[in-house]
Amino acid sequence: MTRKIALITGASRGLGRNAALHLAAAGIDIIGTYRSQADEARAVVAEIEQHGGRALMLPLDVADSASFDAFAQQVRDGLRSTFGRERFDFLLNNAGIGIHAAFAETTEAQFDQLLNIQLKGPFFLTQKLLPLIKDGGRILNVSTGLTRFALPGYAAYAAMKGAMEVLTKYQAKELGARGIGVNIIAPGAIETDFGGGLVRDNAEINRQIASNTALGRVGLPDDIGGAIAALFSDGSRWINGQRVEASGGMFL
């Protein structure tokens, strides 16, 4: 049986790394991207290979859409040389950054950085990779709980993610003819180094979030990696065009 392949942007650290390990544990081979952390990327490959999987890491700056043609060619070459394939099955648009700034104080430079990484990047990267995605495959975008509830300081970030939620519906509608399903997962607050590690490292913020979450704690990377693996599983094939929040019941 041919093993499936998932391409994950931002797979060297955080939720992307966790998703890569969960998918690899489910028997899915990985093409991951990293921007600057080559050593961390190699460590992920080594961990996956140690457990019998196959993985390839490629450099990519999702803010640089001019590089996407060359990246798509690297993916094409890597599919053939590493996996003996022409297409991959799953795309996870995970790479991103967090900028905390009040609406009144958000600069145009901050806005443009978020726009390029969180919206323009996944829009045009997915477009460039469409010829390499297998018919019947799936795409998963990443949003945030902050599109459902509002916390001061995330206006620009959440606005980009809200746009991604709308885009997901259009992608699902327009790619349905190829049997490609498209969803978007919206993590709640997770203990990672995202946004400077605020949720993980600030005990008071962690406690406040836990007290407002139905399951009584802040999310962990495994919570999201497991949810991503579930959304790429065969049992989730009929879920399409949906925003799936994975927040443990935050601010219900």
Side-chain angles (χ1 to χ4, degrees), residues 58-129:
L58 299 172
L60 174 68
D61 182 355
V62 295
D64 181 14
S65 56
S67 71
F68 292 169
D69 281 322
F71 174 74
Q73 185 59 51
Q74 283 188 296
V75 173
R76 187 176 288 107
D77 294 342
L79 281 167
R80 292 170 180 163
S81 62
T82 303
F83 306 102
R85 293 271 303 275
E86 298 292 326
R87 304 285 185 271
F88 64 90
D89 302 270
F90 307 129
L91 171 62
L92 174 60
N93 283 309
N94 164 76
I97 64 166
I99 293 178
H100 184 271
F103 167 74
E105 298 166 1
T106 300
T107 66
E108 192 168 346
Q110 289 174 321
F111 184 96
D112 288 345
Q113 185 180 19
L114 286 168
L115 176 69
N116 289 334
I117 294 173
Q118 307 286 17
L119 179 57
K120 182 179 179 181
F123 187 108
F124 288 104
L125 181 62
T126 302
Q127 185 186 83
K128 294 295 184 183
L129 293 176

Side-chain angles (χ1 to χ4, degrees), residues 3-183:
R3 290 168 65 98
K4 293 179 179 179
I5 301 171
L7 193 157
I8 302 171
T9 63
S12 64
R13 51 190 282 276
L15 297 183
R17 174 185 179 277
N18 193 275
L21 296 177
H22 271 272
L23 290 168
I28 295 169
D29 290 332
I30 303 297
I31 299 174
T33 79
Y34 65 94
R35 188 174 68 85
S36 59
Q37 303 295 330
D39 289 343
E40 292 184 8
R42 283 190 289 268
V44 175
V45 171
E47 187 168 353
I48 290 172
E49 290 178 343
Q50 183 180 351
H51 291 90
R54 291 182 297 178
L56 172 67
M57 284 286 182
L58 299 172
L60 174 68
D61 182 355
V62 295
D64 181 14
S65 56
S67 71
F68 292 169
D69 281 322
F71 174 74
Q73 185 59 51
Q74 283 188 296
V75 173
R76 187 176 288 107
D77 294 342
L79 281 167
R80 292 170 180 163
S81 62
T82 303
F83 306 102
R85 293 271 303 275
E86 298 292 326
R87 304 285 185 271
F88 64 90
D89 302 270
F90 307 129
L91 171 62
L92 174 60
N93 283 309
N94 164 76
I97 64 166
I99 293 178
H100 184 271
F103 167 74
E105 298 166 1
T106 300
T107 66
E108 192 168 346
Q110 289 174 321
F111 184 96
D112 288 345
Q113 185 180 19
L114 286 168
L115 176 69
N116 289 334
I117 294 173
Q118 307 286 17
L119 179 57
K120 182 179 179 181
F123 187 108
F124 288 104
L125 181 62
T126 302
Q127 185 186 83
K128 294 295 184 183
L129 293 176
L130 279 178
L132 299 178
I133 299 175
K134 185 178 179 181
D135 288 357
R138 271 174 278 174
I139 297 168
L140 184 62
N141 298 316
V142 177
S143 183
T144 172
L146 292 163
T147 61
R148 178 176 64 84
F149 49 80
L151 296 178
Y154 295 102
Y157 173 79
M160 305 306 167
K161 292 300 192 181
M164 284 300 300
E165 293 182 7
V166 174
L167 175 63
T168 295
K169 295 180 181 180
Y170 277 84
Q171 289 174 326
K173 189 77 167 181
E174 295 188 20
L175 300 180
R178 290 182 52 192
I180 295 175
V182 189
N183 294 295

